[in-house]
């Protein structure tokens, strides 16, 4: 492609990303600035309480997730014991549960009428459930269960990239294990830990399912925005959306600043430390039993969902375990079109949005890394922006921006059509696909592209080969 064609492509991609990602936020901010809702927001204690609740819940979620995920990462990456690889994969399973599904699983397992509460109630002859899974502690419990995986995966990846020669050098200089950990390992893990903290904080800040189901009278900004919108006060909901977006951006800037500008670069053997075998037979057995016990505990919500799906409607009331188990629910799902339609809709919407996100990220990655266009930093920023803002913010922004027919303002009525949800999924999926493909492009040696071209491969085949070589298609 010529230089002029590349410049035109860069402008088109930038404008398209700006329309998808930035324009809805600008529309909401502009409409929120006109009118009295800002005064209403500042004058109401409930708004400030919800905002503060969102901030401290998110911070506490980071602390709890780090407290669980980091020790697990060290355990499974640095020590060798029976079943380590299998357990290491099982530990990461909570990340595959969608937020709402994970919350429902928690409700069936640990709620007032869940398996655990009913079992304790029956064992001790209690007249009422032993607890109420409600309020901020319940929200933190769900967040800790679902979000520790970020610290676990990021820390394990960071430990796998450590250079064993640096640890050997610290040991040769007389540093004990504790000093080596804090002076060598932690600085090298700093980018991974900050990345996990950012992802956890943003996820917790935008969490809606857990506060909505377990919050009770406890409100955070996500539930506050939805409640305000349902009450018909759309101007105030727009102000709340803008405020939550500002908090998210400020938090992201602060967390990014904690990474620092100093980057520790190590030139060594490039060999990661091998897992250390546990010598003591007793400790080895205890670690194995504790690991499998933890795996079962983490799998309980998944198993609970599977069991509940086999219980016919109305067959399970006050018993500890369901009295009837069969496949009636699955037969109804696949035999009644009105029940199967939501599943099929979810599948085609997810497929369409994923395909669009991959194509858009591919073009953006090619322009940013291969062509290094002038607008490359703008394109990268637009790709990352949806990751920095809570999902509720984008949902409200898209609903407001695309509920009005104003073609000259690039606003169309998409709410209520089959387009709005795939569009929302596309926007939310851009950061993951964009970051992954940009990283893949940067890992590729330009000589590979030249070699493929010299062997007669077309552009499409060359691109597929390069992405497969970088692992971006997995």
């Amino acid at each position: 492609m010529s230089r002029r064609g590349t410049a035109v492509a860069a402008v088109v991609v930038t404008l398209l990303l700006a329309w998808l990602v930035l324009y809805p936020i600008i529309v909401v901010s502009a409409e929120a600035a006109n009118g009295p809702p800002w005064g209403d927001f500042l004058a109401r204690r409930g708004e400030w309480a919800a905002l503060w609740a969102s901030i401290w819940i998110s911070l506490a979620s980071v602390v709890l997730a780090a407290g669980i995920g980091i020790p697990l990462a060290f355990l499974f990456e640095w020590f060798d014991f029976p079943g380590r690889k299998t357990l290491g994969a099982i530990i990461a399973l909570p990340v595959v549960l969608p937020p709402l599904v994970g919350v429902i699983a928690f409700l069936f397992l640990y709620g007032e009428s869940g398996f655990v509460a009913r079992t304790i109630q029956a064992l001790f002859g209690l007249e009422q459930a032993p607890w109420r899974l409600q309020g901020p502690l319940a929200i933190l419990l769900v967040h800790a269960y679902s979000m520790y995986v970020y610290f676990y995966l990021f820390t394990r990846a960071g430990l796998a990239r450590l250079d064993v020669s640096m640890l050997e050098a610290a040991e040769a200089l007389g540093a004990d294990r504790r000093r080596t950990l804090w002076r060598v390992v932690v600085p090298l893990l700093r980018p991974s830990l900050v990345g996990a903290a950012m992802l956890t904080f943003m996820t917790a800040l935008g969490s809606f399912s857990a506060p909505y189901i377990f919050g009770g009278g406890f409100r955070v900004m996500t539930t506050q925005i939805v409640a305000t919108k349902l009450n018909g006060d759309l101007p105030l909901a727009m102000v709340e959306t803008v405020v939550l977006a500002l908090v998210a951006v400020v938090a992201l800037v602060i967390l990014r600043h904690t990474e620092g500008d100093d980057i520790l670069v190590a030139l060594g053997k490039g060999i990661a430390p091998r897992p250390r075998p546990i010598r003591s037979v007793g400790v080895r057995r205890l670690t194995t039993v504790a690991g499998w016990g933890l795996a079962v505990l983490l799998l309980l919500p998944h198993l609970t969902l599977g069991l509940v799906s086999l219980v016919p409607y109305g067959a399970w009331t006050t018993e500890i375990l369901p009295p009837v188990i069969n496949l009636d629910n699955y037969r109804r799902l696949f035999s009644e079109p009105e029940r199967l339609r939501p599943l099929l809709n979810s599948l085609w919407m997810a497929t369409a949005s994923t395909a669009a996100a991959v194509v858009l990220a591919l073009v953006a990655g090619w322009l940013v890394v291969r062509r290094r266009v002038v607008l490359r930093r703008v394109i990268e920023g637009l790709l990352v922006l949806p990751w920095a803002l809570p999902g509720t913010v984008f949902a409200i922004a898209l609903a407001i921006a695309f509920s009005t027919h104003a073609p000259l303002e690039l606003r169309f009525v998409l709410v209520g059509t089959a387009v709005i949800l795939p569009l929302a999924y596309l926007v939310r999926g851009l950061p993951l696909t964009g970051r992954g493909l940009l990283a893949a492009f940067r890992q590729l040696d330009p000589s590979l592209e030249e070699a493929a071209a010299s062997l007669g491969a077309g552009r499409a085949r060359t691109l597929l080969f390069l992405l497969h070589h970088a692992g971006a298609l997995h």
Side-chain angles (χ1 to χ4, degrees):
M1 183 181 290
S2 65
R3 182 174 300 179
R4 183 176 180 181
T6 301
V8 171
V11 172
V12 171
V13 170
T14 303
L15 292 177
L16 179 58
L17 287 173
W19 180 71
L20 287 173
V21 174
L22 192 59
Y23 185 61
I25 301 297
I26 294 175
V27 169
V28 172
S29 302
E31 295 192 7
N34 299 324
W38 278 102
D40 296 339
F41 177 87
L42 297 174
R44 295 183 183 181
R45 291 185 177 180
E47 302 289 346
W48 289 102
L51 180 61
W52 169 240
S54 291
I55 295 173
W56 79 259
I57 282 284
S58 300
L59 292 173
S61 299
V62 172
V63 174
L64 291 175
I68 299 173
I70 294 175
L72 286 176
F74 274 91
L75 175 65
F76 285 97
E77 191 64 31
W78 273 15
F79 297 98
D80 190 17
F81 51 90
R84 180 181 70 92
K85 292 184 178 180
T86 302
L87 289 172
I90 293 176
I91 294 297
L93 276 180
V95 77
V96 306
L97 279 180
L100 180 59
V101 175
V103 171
I104 295 297
F106 247 80
L107 188 63
F108 279 116
L109 186 60
Y110 300 113
E112 296 177 51
S113 58
F115 287 116
V116 177
R118 288 187 180 188
T119 302
I120 295 177
Q121 188 175 353
L123 287 176
F124 294 96
L126 303 176
E127 295 182 0
Q128 297 180 346
W131 60 70
R132 296 191 65 188
L133 196 61
Q134 196 173 80
L137 292 180
I139 297 172
L140 288 175
L141 178 64
V142 177
H143 283 185
Y145 168 79
S146 58
M147 297 177 193
Y148 81 86
V149 182
Y150 301 139
F151 277 95
Y152 171 72
L153 294 176
F154 276 57
T155 305
R156 280 202 73 172
L159 290 173
R161 291 194 299 266
L162 287 181
D163 197 320
V164 68
S165 62
M166 297 195 67
L167 304 181
E168 295 172 350
E171 185 178 353
L173 292 173
D176 56 16
R177 291 184 178 180
R178 181 178 299 180
R179 190 174 181 86
T180 301
L181 174 66
W182 290 108
R183 298 296 298 272
V184 178
V185 177
V186 171
L188 289 172
L189 289 179
R190 191 174 174 182
S192 298
L193 297 178
V194 173
M198 287 193 293
L199 187 55
T200 303
F201 185 89
M202 295 304 167
T203 305
L205 191 67
S207 174
F208 175 78
S209 301
Y212 181 73
I213 293 178
F214 293 119
F218 181 80
R219 287 268 181 94
V220 295
M221 281 306 293
T222 52
T223 55
Q224 183 75 11
I225 291 171
V226 174
T228 303
K229 187 176 184 298
L230 292 176
N231 289 333
D233 196 348
L234 189 58
L236 183 57
M238 288 190 289
V239 171
E240 294 167 343
T241 301
V242 173
V243 170
L244 187 59
L246 289 175
V247 170
V249 171
V250 170
L252 180 64
V253 171
I254 294 175
L255 287 170
R256 287 294 298 269
H257 183 70
T258 61
E259 283 184 298
D261 296 326
D262 53 316
I263 300 176
L264 184 57
V265 179
L267 298 176
K269 303 174 184 178
I271 302 174
R274 291 183 178 181
R276 306 171 185 175
I278 300 176
R279 304 295 183 185
S280 173
V281 177
V283 175
R284 189 179 179 88
R285 290 177 179 174
L286 180 63
T287 304
T288 304
V289 171
W292 281 105
L294 179 62
V296 171
L297 180 66
L298 294 174
L299 282 177
L300 278 178
H302 302 70
L303 299 174
T304 300
L305 286 177
L307 178 60
V308 172
S309 70
L310 298 173
V311 180
Y313 178 74
W316 185 26
T317 54
T318 60
E319 299 86 357
I320 297 178
L321 293 175
V324 181
I325 294 177
N326 54 42
L327 297 174
D328 283 350
N329 292 331
Y330 290 94
R331 293 192 191 98
R332 295 178 63 187
L333 173 64
F334 291 104
S335 62
E336 301 177 12
E338 66 274 9
R339 299 184 183 278
L340 187 60
R341 191 175 297 113
L343 176 61
L344 297 177
N345 288 339
S346 297
L347 287 175
W348 80 256
M349 287 182 180
T351 302
S353 61
T354 301
V358 169
V359 170
L360 189 54
L362 275 174
V363 176
W366 177 73
L367 292 171
V368 170
V369 180
R370 280 286 180 254
R371 296 297 180 179
R372 297 189 61 80
V373 295
V374 177
L375 295 171
R376 60 183 180 275
R377 294 192 181 276
V378 178
I379 294 175
E380 281 195 79
L382 291 173
L383 285 174
V384 175
L385 182 60
W387 181 69
L389 298 175
T392 306
V393 169
F394 265 109
I396 296 295
L398 288 173
I400 292 173
F402 298 114
S403 60
T404 301
H405 183 69
L408 295 179
E409 299 177 10
L410 298 179
R411 299 177 66 179
F412 309 94
V413 179
L414 301 180
V415 176
T417 69
V419 177
I420 190 66
L421 284 179
L423 184 65
Y425 299 155
L426 165 64
V427 174
R428 294 302 292 170
L430 275 176
L432 292 177
T433 54
R435 287 171 67 91
L437 287 169
L438 284 174
F441 272 114
R442 289 191 172 105
Q443 290 174 357
L444 292 172
D445 189 338
S447 62
L448 291 174
E449 186 176 356
E450 297 170 359
S454 65
L455 292 174
R459 290 183 179 179
R461 191 171 183 179
T462 301
L463 179 62
L464 288 175
F465 165 74
L466 293 176
L467 294 176
H468 179 76
H469 181 78
L473 299 179
H474 297 289

